[in-house]
Amino acid sequence: MGLLSAPAGVDKREYWGFSLYDWANSGYVTTVGTVLFAPYLTSVAETAACGYVGTSDKPCHTNLDVLGLGISPGSLAFYVVTVATLISALFLPVVGAIADRLERKKLLMCGFAWAGALAACCMVFVGGGRWELGALLLFIGNLCLGSSMVVYDSILIDIAPPDDRDDVSSRAWAFGYLGGFILLAINLGVVTAHDALGLSQGTAVRLSLLSAGLWWGAFTFFPFLKLRNRPPTNVVPVRSGSLFKQSFGQLAATLTHMRAYPMTLLFLVAYLFFNDGIQTVISVSSTYGEKQLGFETQILIMTILLVQFVAFFGALAFGRFARRFGSQRTIMGGLVLWMVIVIAGFLLPERQVVPFLAMGVAIGIVLGGTQALSRSAFSQLIPEGREAEYFSLYQAGERGTSWLGTLVFGLVHQITGSYRPAIVALGLFFLVGLILLTRVDMRRGIDEAGNTQPTVI
């Protein structure tokens, strides 16, 4: 079996359709969500508020007026992401309930993807003082991304038998990191060399945002053409009414009866803890590297690209480990490595590039693997007919708790005045997640959900 070829038990056409959606949306995640749009929207908002882009020597202290509230231009992008995150935590379970009742599930996924891609393409028009447009498009893009991912994750159960899900999930995640790396490398090259290309920096950024939308939208045609629709199975009957009323009824029934699946719930809680730690480490790494370790922007960009590149191989490696040792043990091993990483981060010397890059390599190795295997392991614990709805709780729970890690990081920094104890404090999330995960009896959980037992778990 080739490194990236379809496992024997998975239809080759659907394997590629599934894998290429991770490739498609990662262009948006890296170029727009991770690197370029937040600082660009900040500069647009500062221009609108102060008439210039703020610098360390001449900061912009004039607030924007948002629904009667004074909002700092430097905080605008983060507030938009926070609002989108909180609303998606309420909206995504409804999307999942609808998806489980639809035969044309892939159309729902691709529809959200194309709507988000259109929002990303329209970011090319965010210039001058049009910060309102930028905030709206960022909100739409993030909400559509989360909605499409709920349906996408549930499709894993449709296309892969229990013994092949770790492989399929890991390889798709690897494709995502590779696609995100390629587009981000191109766009960072364009932004860095904007003068040589005859472009202003703002124009180079806007073209990069446009490319992310086009990438997301164009590659979404592959899952649309290659994935098959399947009729819903074992959908819990609810009161008659519109599709939305039925979907809310199914959601209420699932929440009421979740106590029947204690191992599923325990796994979900464990995931929420350790995934919050992962997301926080990623989100604060640039700040830690710049403010605590004293690195220039070029080093931080190089590290971001390195993490993306190494994560491709890390996801594949974790898939292979899971085939031999089982997903649960492999995830637990990954959490131990995450704890080692945050302790190493605490000890990193200032302005020493090689140790910082080595930590980037370590993050890349465990980043994709732990997330990909969490998805496939959770899929084993979901009762038939509620796949998208349970994955909506998986996604919504992640968004509903994603502020905890950043809160702890901020509080520890405020108390101590240093980012070093703040970074090591994040190890608590990995430790709690690991302890909870050791208490999950996967075999029992699979039996409770009525699913087929994989050979290795």
Side-chain angles (χ1 to χ4, degrees):
M1 182 172 60
L3 190 64
L4 296 176
S5 60
V10 180
D11 179 82
K12 182 178 180 181
R13 179 183 177 89
E14 292 201 288
Y15 166 78
W16 284 106
F18 184 83
S19 298
L20 286 174
Y21 187 65
D22 248 321
W23 172 285
N25 70 67
S26 291
Y28 174 87
V29 172
T30 54
T31 291
V32 177
T34 305
V35 179
L36 290 182
F37 194 67
Y40 179 70
L41 182 59
T42 298
S43 68
V44 171
E46 288 176 339
T47 300
C50 297
Y52 59 86
V53 177
T55 64
S56 57
D57 296 328
K58 188 182 179 182
C60 173
H61 292 304
T62 303
N63 286 339
L64 301 165
D65 183 10
V66 180
L67 302 176
L69 299 175
I71 300 296
S72 167
S75 300
L76 176 64
F78 304 107
Y79 287 144
V80 172
V81 171
T82 299
V83 171
T85 297
L86 293 175
I87 290 179
S88 67
L90 301 174
F91 180 67
L92 296 188
V94 180
V95 173
I98 292 173
D100 283 333
R101 308 188 74 82
L102 287 179
E103 183 172 343
R104 304 184 70 186
K105 187 185 290 188
K106 72 173 183 180
L107 181 60
L108 183 64
M109 180 192 83
C110 294
F112 278 119
W114 285 323
L118 179 61
C121 288
C122 289
M123 289 176 181
V124 74
F125 301 114
V126 178
R130 293 188 291 273
W131 61 269
E132 300 97 334
L133 176 62
L136 177 63
L137 294 174
L138 180 61
F139 175 83
I140 293 173
N142 282 12
L143 191 61
C144 287
L145 175 66
S147 299
S148 71
M149 291 303 296
V150 164
V151 189
Y152 172 65
D153 287 344
S154 72
I155 291 174
L156 173 65
I157 299 174
D158 294 334
I159 70 168
D163 282 327
D164 291 318
R165 283 184 202 158
D166 291 336
D167 269 344
V168 173
S169 184
S170 298
R171 295 178 196 188
W173 217 284
F175 273 111
Y177 279 113
L178 183 61
F181 166 79
I182 291 172
L183 185 63
L184 182 61
I186 293 171
N187 286 331
L188 288 177
V190 170
V191 173
T192 303
H194 65 89
D195 284 333
L197 297 172
L199 303 171
S200 68
Q201 186 176 41
T203 300
V205 171
R206 289 197 300 275
L207 290 176
S208 296
L209 300 174
L210 173 63
S211 75
L214 294 174
W215 180 284
W216 187 6
F219 282 108
T220 296
F221 277 99
F222 285 93
F224 180 73
L225 295 173
K226 293 180 178 294
L227 292 173
R228 291 192 295 113
N229 285 310
R230 292 169 171 83
T233 58
N234 292 345
V235 177
V236 178
V238 294
R239 291 179 299 176
S240 62
S242 68
L243 181 61
F244 275 95
K245 286 184 179 180
Q246 293 183 37
S247 301
F248 275 113
Q250 182 177 340
L251 174 59
T254 300
L255 291 174
T256 300
H257 293 94
M258 282 185 72
R259 70 189 68 166
Y261 310 104
M263 293 298 106
T264 308
L265 288 174
L266 185 58
F267 183 94
L268 181 59
V269 174
Y271 171 75
L272 296 181
F273 271 98
F274 68 74
N275 184 67
D276 198 7
I278 293 172
Q279 298 302 326
T280 305
V281 169
I282 298 305
S283 65
V284 304
S285 291
S286 293
T287 300
Y288 188 76
E290 178 183 356
K291 302 298 184 182
Q292 185 67 53
L293 303 180
F295 291 117
E296 300 293 331
T297 302
Q298 293 87 341
I299 298 297
L300 299 178
I301 289 174
M302 183 190 308
T303 306
I304 290 171
L305 290 174
L306 179 64
V307 170
Q308 288 287 129
F309 181 72
V310 173
F312 167 76
F313 298 99
L316 294 176
F318 266 62
R320 294 213 163 188
F321 285 134
R323 179 169 284 275
R324 181 172 180 181
F325 302 108
S327 58
Q328 186 179 20
R329 292 188 187 89
T330 306
I331 294 169
M332 289 192 292
L335 296 183
V336 172
L337 292 177
W338 273 112
M339 287 188 281
V340 172
I341 285 170
V342 295
I343 294 172
F346 174 82
L347 300 172
L348 281 179
E350 295 183 7
R351 296 183 175 85
Q352 296 294 314
V353 175
V354 173
F356 187 65
L357 292 179
M359 189 177 76
V361 170
I363 289 175
I365 290 172
V366 295
L367 176 61
T370 46
Q371 293 177 310
L373 293 181
S374 297
R375 175 171 66 183
S376 56
F378 186 68
S379 74
Q380 309 277 9
L381 302 170
I382 300 175
E384 186 179 11
R386 286 174 170 161
E387 293 85 0
E389 191 172 343
Y390 267 65
F391 269 116
S392 73
L393 296 176
Y394 184 83
Q395 293 277 347
E398 172 186 327
R399 285 159 172 76
T401 61
S402 60
W403 52 272
L404 288 172
T406 51
L407 176 63
V408 168
F409 186 83
L411 287 176
V412 174
H413 173 261
Q414 182 171 336
I415 293 170
T416 64
S418 171
Y419 287 110
R420 290 188 184 275
I423 196 75
V424 80
L426 298 179
L428 177 65
F429 288 88
F430 301 114
L431 179 60
V432 172
L434 177 62
I435 291 172
L436 292 174
L437 193 58
T438 60
R439 300 178 65 84
V440 175
D441 185 337
M442 290 292 293
R443 295 287 183 190
R444 173 188 162 190
I446 293 169
D447 284 338
E448 289 173 347
N451 294 328
T452 303
Q453 292 276 355
T455 304
V456 180
I457 195 64

